[in-house]
Amino acid sequence: MRSPLRRTRRNPTPTPTPTPTSTPTPVPPPGDAIAPRDGARLAGVAFASVLLLAGCSSGGTGAGSAGRPVAAPAQDVLLQSAAAPGPDPFTASTVRNTARPSDPPRPPEGQRAREVAGSTPGLYGGTRAVGSCDVERQVSLLTGDTKKARAFAEAAGVPEAGVADWLRGLTPVALRVDTRVTGHGYRGGRATAHQAVLQTGTAVLVDQYGSPRVRCAGGNPLRAPAGDRGGVYVGVPWDAFDPDHVVVVRPTGTVVTSLVIVNATDRSWIERRTGSDGEEDRKPAVEPSCDPDACILEGSGTPEPDASGPATPAPSTPDRSTPPEPVPPPQDPPVPDAPTGPDPYTEPAPDPYTDPDTLPDPSAEPPVPPDGELPPEELFPPEPVPDQPDTFEAFEG
């Protein structure tokens, strides 16, 4: 049974009233029409607002990051199925006919994985030794049109001269969960941004930080979604679509050299080197601890962040049923007694080895040993020491 379409309402943006002398700007026609499903009527004005409100493309932030696009508030969110080219595609589809990856199990009720790191095992899927997109064909389609390549580079945030190399450094995989992104269409020689949700199974090219950067069904550059993730969903929802289980891919803080994805043919783990087309796929040296069909994508951001900062624990209420114990008044610490006699640290004792008055007198009588004891010289009489020559001669045999 198909899930109902959920809508998030927003306050409409006031439209400025033109002056009598101004000429009204013509409204450009929308792109591909989206047919209603099961008799549900979709507002054409809402769909056109996706294209109008996203008229300015996002600025570049470098090739190594998904970036944060500049998006107008209260944008509608376009639902894009896996195979449809969508409105205003940049190129023809470069998707390869590969098996659709399995869906990961959904988190328990009450839990929502809003953000998932791009390096999370099982976030992406694919077919072993086969890339989900034809990267070289994508390069050829984009670089063959100078104006299109310039608009693509501006939307993707990469240098125009480096589009081909940048595309070849991406990794072709397929989404295993509905994903929120900022997509771009190509119209009038420019890139137009819009908010979108890509269906599970969509073939994408992922960068070295784990972020989806190109949608292969239409060659559209992708960026991180707008910070305000509300809006009204427009388009044809698929059977399993649920706004509560749409995720946002969070780029990793460091470059990842490989992605652990799920093999769509036998539900096994695959390690795919980033920037490869699948020709170097192998079994991971250390596999995840769970089965691919049983691993729940763990994300962050389930509770909304609190702008007031961390909560401070409330002070405990004292128990007034019993009287408090009296607290003794503070006392001064005891003063030690003053030392008597000379201070050993200020008046050092005389050194018997340096004071001549303390040296023993050689003319004094030797000490008398106690009764019954012999003097030391009688206990150990000295033995004569034979004279030794000053030098030794070698023994001659």
Side-chain angles (χ1 to χ4, degrees), residues 32 80-93 184 215-220:
D32 297 347
Q80 291 190 277
S81 61
D88 304 323
F90 266 77
T91 66
S93 176
H184 296 81
R215 183 175 179 268
C216 302
N220 309 92

Side-chain angles (χ1 to χ4, degrees), residues 79-115:
L79 301 177
Q80 291 190 277
S81 61
D88 304 323
F90 266 77
T91 66
S93 176
T94 59
V95 178
R96 287 174 172 167
N97 293 326
T98 57
R100 184 184 184 278
S102 61
D103 300 346
R106 294 194 172 186
E109 290 295 331
Q111 294 184 12
R112 296 183 297 173
R114 286 304 188 102
E115 289 190 358

Side-chain angles (χ1 to χ4, degrees), residues 21-299:
T21 57
S22 62
T23 304
T25 304
V27 178
D32 297 347
I34 299 181
R37 180 174 64 94
D38 296 338
R41 184 175 60 87
L42 298 175
V45 176
F47 176 75
S49 64
V50 178
L51 306 178
L52 293 178
L53 292 174
C56 58
S57 61
S58 57
T61 58
S65 172
R68 291 288 177 185
V70 178
Q75 290 197 58
D76 291 335
V77 183
L78 178 63
L79 301 177
Q80 291 190 277
S81 61
D88 304 323
F90 266 77
T91 66
S93 176
T94 59
V95 178
R96 287 174 172 167
N97 293 326
T98 57
R100 184 184 184 278
S102 61
D103 300 346
R106 294 194 172 186
E109 290 295 331
Q111 294 184 12
R112 296 183 297 173
R114 286 304 188 102
E115 289 190 358
V116 179
S119 59
T120 303
L123 177 60
Y124 301 110
T127 303
R128 187 182 182 91
V130 180
S132 58
C133 309
D134 189 338
V135 178
E136 289 301 324
R137 185 165 183 262
Q138 191 70 66
V139 171
S140 177
L141 292 174
L142 279 175
T143 56
D145 189 325
T146 304
K147 293 182 63 176
K148 190 174 293 185
R150 183 180 301 113
F152 180 94
E154 179 184 359
V158 299
E160 181 182 350
V163 167
D165 292 337
W166 181 72
L167 287 171
R168 292 188 177 102
L170 303 180
T171 309
V173 291
L175 300 176
R176 292 188 69 231
V177 64
D178 297 346
T179 306
R180 176 87 177 250
V181 296
T182 295
H184 296 81
Y186 180 73
R187 186 179 63 218
R190 298 185 61 185
T192 58
H194 60 270
Q195 296 301 297
V197 172
L198 307 183
Q199 184 188 10
T200 301
T202 299
V204 293
L205 296 177
V206 176
D207 66 10
Q208 56 187 347
Y209 297 91
S211 297
R213 302 306 308 275
V214 179
R215 183 175 179 268
C216 302
N220 309 92
L222 304 175
R223 302 291 288 270
D228 186 352
R229 296 170 190 170
V232 178
Y233 291 101
V234 296
V236 182
W238 40 90
D239 292 341
F241 173 69
D242 186 349
D244 289 341
H245 294 96
V246 175
V247 305
V248 173
V249 178
R250 182 179 70 251
T252 60
T254 57
V255 173
V256 293
T257 58
S258 62
L259 299 172
V260 178
I261 65 177
V262 177
N263 192 346
T265 57
D266 60 3
R267 305 296 192 268
S268 62
W269 292 109
I270 298 175
E271 182 178 353
R272 176 167 294 180
R273 185 176 63 84
T274 52
S276 70
D277 198 28
E279 67 277 0
E280 301 179 19
D281 287 353
R282 62 180 183 178
K283 181 179 179 181
V286 179
E287 292 189 359
S289 58
C290 57
D291 186 78
D293 289 334
C295 280
I296 298 176
L297 298 180
E298 296 182 358

